Amino acid sequence: MSGTRASNDRSSHPGGGLKRARSEPGGNKVTVVLGAQWGDEGKGKVVDLLATESDIVCRCQGGNNAGHTVVVDGKEYDFHLFPSGIINPKAISFIGNGVVIHLPGLFEEAEKNEKKGLKDWEKRLIISDRAHIVFDFHQAVDGLQEVQRQAQEGKKFKNLAQQYKSMFPTLEIDVEGQLKKLKGYAEKIRPMVRDGVYFMYEALHGSPKKILVEGANAALLDIDFGTYPFVTSSNCTVGGVCTGLGVPPQHVGDVYGVVKAYTTRVGIGAFPTEQINEIGDLLQSRGHEWGVTTGRKRRCGWLDLVILKYAHMINGFTALALTKLDILDVLDEIKIGVAYKLGGKRIPYFPANQEILQKVEVEYETMPGWKTDTTGARKWEDLPPKAQNYIRCVENHVGVPVKWVGVGKSRESMIQLF
């Protein structure tokens, strides 16, 4: 009887009570910054810009395999585990459950940046108690696996079988020494550790706050959506925000995609717009394309909008940051990859299969270069018309507005368009 009455009550109030509350979540939203290519797009700079007015800056995935460089007052800070927002003395930096933490690396990073002027970071850092720890031997094993993989490239099944058989007989671990070191770290880190899910819940539902989430790695390094097998071990697309922080999807607000004005990639794997010629060399040297984390030379090529559209399909970018535009200042003409062809026919998707990706033919649009130094530009009007056309071309093809244009290393050289 009471069941019937309750259902009748509800039917007389279409969308009544509970239902409405669920579909319109109150509280704060998180702003997300994600890499839209193969990494090294300059995410740190965009995060740093937004972090100056944020209350909380979070990392949700990756580990110290990420590398962000931020320049403040002429000082260059390198971050791997710390959110770039750690520089802001007014913001809380939060390392979420989706991040893997290498404790020696964390304290080493703190020490290096302290020497450059980072102060009181331990008072501003909170670490989720659900974040996992990675030990030195994990990194050693990773190295051994990499050596094995490279030695046996192409014999996948044998490779796997061999790995399970051998289980690393050459691995040496100083168990006592390591434990002693870890106990020291445990004491130092204990005050920073909190229940991360509850911390984020309070942040979302408490007083109005600006919450920023800093993605590490990038769309094409995502374990599911990246150019497998040359990927990282986490979701660096927007879904990683929910799983790596414990945040419901309706609390995700703006999603900013960071894209370099050309394309780079570290290591092996398909790279359709790569320029193995003087253009590639010029981009590499002018753009100082060396890995922050690995020190490896990056491969360079033209901007690939197929990749960018694919990243947008997955992430739903609300705006883009186009970085390092100034690197193109000296070129007579500039090409943009606008489509892939297979057997002479355009394909509307980004191929998952690496062998197919190696075979695609890129369709380019060629634009005249602006042949002007843009590093002094501070507003849209300061950019040469041909540079403006380049930016508009990106917007029109991807269907996402460009909110920032980067023309140099410092904070001031990020031009905000709206």
Side-chain angles (χ1 to χ4, degrees):
M1 181 74 183
S2 62
T4 326
R5 194 170 67 239
S7 60
N8 285 348
D9 278 353
R10 205 172 280 168
S11 63
S12 65
H13 287 68
L18 275 176
K19 273 187 181 164
R20 191 167 60 247
R22 273 191 195 149
S23 61
E24 297 168 15
N28 301 312
K29 288 195 185 296
V30 299
T31 297
V32 185
V33 175
L34 299 171
Q37 294 158 305
W38 273 291
D40 314 307
E41 302 92 350
K43 294 179 291 293
K45 262 189 224 59
V46 180
V47 168
D48 176 51
L49 206 72
L50 294 168
T52 52
E53 50 195 50
S54 294
D55 301 298
I56 302 172
V57 183
C58 318
R59 271 282 303 275
C60 63
Q61 45 67 237
N64 60 343
N65 59 338
H68 291 168
T69 308
V70 177
V71 180
V72 184
D73 301 328
K75 283 190 188 133
E76 208 166 280
Y77 296 88
D78 280 343
F79 297 118
H80 300 279
L81 264 169
F82 282 137
S84 305
I86 197 81
I87 300 177
N88 178 359
K90 295 195 280 288
I92 292 289
S93 283
F94 178 59
I95 296 179
N97 56 275
V99 179
V100 283
I101 297 173
H102 180 242
L103 286 171
L106 182 79
F107 287 104
E108 204 175 291
E109 186 177 329
E111 211 173 290
K112 275 186 186 164
N113 287 298
E114 274 173 341
K115 284 181 183 149
K116 293 174 181 176
L118 181 69
K119 288 187 181 75
D120 297 329
W121 60 272
E122 56 279 278
K123 292 179 184 152
R124 301 193 295 276
L125 183 68
I126 292 176
I127 300 171
S128 170
D129 54 359
R130 289 175 176 84
H132 287 229
I133 292 174
V134 62
F135 299 116
D136 288 351
F137 64 78
H138 285 121
Q139 296 189 322
V141 164
D142 210 30
L144 291 171
Q145 279 178 321
E146 195 58 40
V147 169
Q148 283 184 2
R149 266 199 293 269
Q150 284 176 0
Q152 302 172 328
E153 197 51 60
K155 308 184 195 92
K156 285 182 187 163
F157 178 77
K158 284 183 183 168
N159 181 6
L160 206 57
Q162 186 58 38
Q163 248 180 46
Y164 277 98
K165 269 193 213 156
S166 63
M167 275 314 181
F168 323 110
T170 56
L171 191 64
E172 288 173 21
I173 306 171
D174 167 16
V175 178
E176 291 312 310
Q178 290 274 325
L179 278 172
K180 195 176 163 190
K181 251 166 69 177
L182 287 163
K183 277 181 182 151
Y185 292 137
E187 290 316 307
K188 277 183 169 177
I189 211 161
R190 187 167 278 122
M192 300 171 217
V193 178
R194 287 213 214 148
D195 188 296
V197 173
Y198 185 61
F199 170 78
M200 281 310 295
Y201 181 81
E202 289 228 289
L204 292 171
H205 296 280
S207 58
K209 278 188 179 63
K210 287 195 167 172
I211 304 168
L212 181 62
V213 183
E214 168 179 10
N217 318 112
L220 293 187
L221 296 172
D222 184 282
I223 187 154
D224 294 310
F225 302 112
T227 42
Y228 189 85
F230 311 108
V231 292
T232 189
S233 49
S234 62
N235 285 113
C236 0
T237 42
V238 73
V241 175
C242 300
T243 54
L245 293 171
V247 167
Q250 64 266 40
H251 283 280
V252 175
D254 278 315
V255 181
Y256 297 133
V258 187
V259 56
K260 200 148 42 182
Y262 51 101
T263 312
T264 61
R265 179 168 197 178
V266 172
I268 51 176
F271 183 171
T273 62
E274 183 172 18
Q275 298 299 298
I276 307 170
N277 52 29
E278 63 283 1
I279 295 284
D281 294 342
L282 180 116
L283 294 171
Q284 206 276 326
S285 60
R286 270 184 68 81
H288 304 292
E289 295 297 347
W290 303 90
V292 178
T293 300
T294 59
R296 279 189 292 182
K297 210 175 188 180
R298 297 180 191 139
R299 298 155 62 195
C300 300
W302 297 119
L303 179 59
D304 185 334
L305 295 185
V306 181
I307 284 173
L308 191 50
K309 284 188 218 170
Y310 173 66
H312 176 46
M313 285 177 200
I314 298 160
N315 291 314
F317 297 132
T318 52
L320 299 173
L322 185 69
T323 62
K324 293 183 106 165
L325 184 77
D326 55 303
I327 305 306
L328 308 180
D329 285 352
V330 297
L331 294 166
D332 293 313
E333 61 171 37
I334 297 164
K335 291 184 176 181
I336 298 185
V338 294
Y340 289 170
K341 286 176 170 176
L342 266 180
K345 282 196 186 121
R346 270 190 175 206
I347 53 169
Y349 56 88
F350 180 78
N353 184 313
Q354 287 304 288
E355 284 167 26
I356 292 174
L357 194 58
Q358 295 276 15
K359 289 189 189 125
V360 297
E361 184 195 330
V362 182
E363 189 181 305
Y364 288 104
E365 257 180 40
T366 305
M367 309 182 77
W370 42 92
K371 306 283 284 179
T372 312
D373 182 352
T374 59
T375 53
R378 292 297 173 263
K379 51 186 191 297
W380 173 255
E381 294 74 25
D382 298 342
L383 291 168
K386 286 172 182 167
Q388 294 179 351
N389 292 346
Y390 185 79
I391 296 159
R392 292 291 177 238
C393 177
V394 173
E395 290 183 324
N396 294 338
H397 276 283
V398 186
V400 180
V402 170
K403 189 177 170 78
W404 295 277
V405 177
V407 290
K409 269 196 156 185
S410 69
R411 267 181 186 175
E412 297 71 49
S413 36
M414 277 303 250
I415 302 168
Q416 190 165 333
L417 306 187
F418 63 89

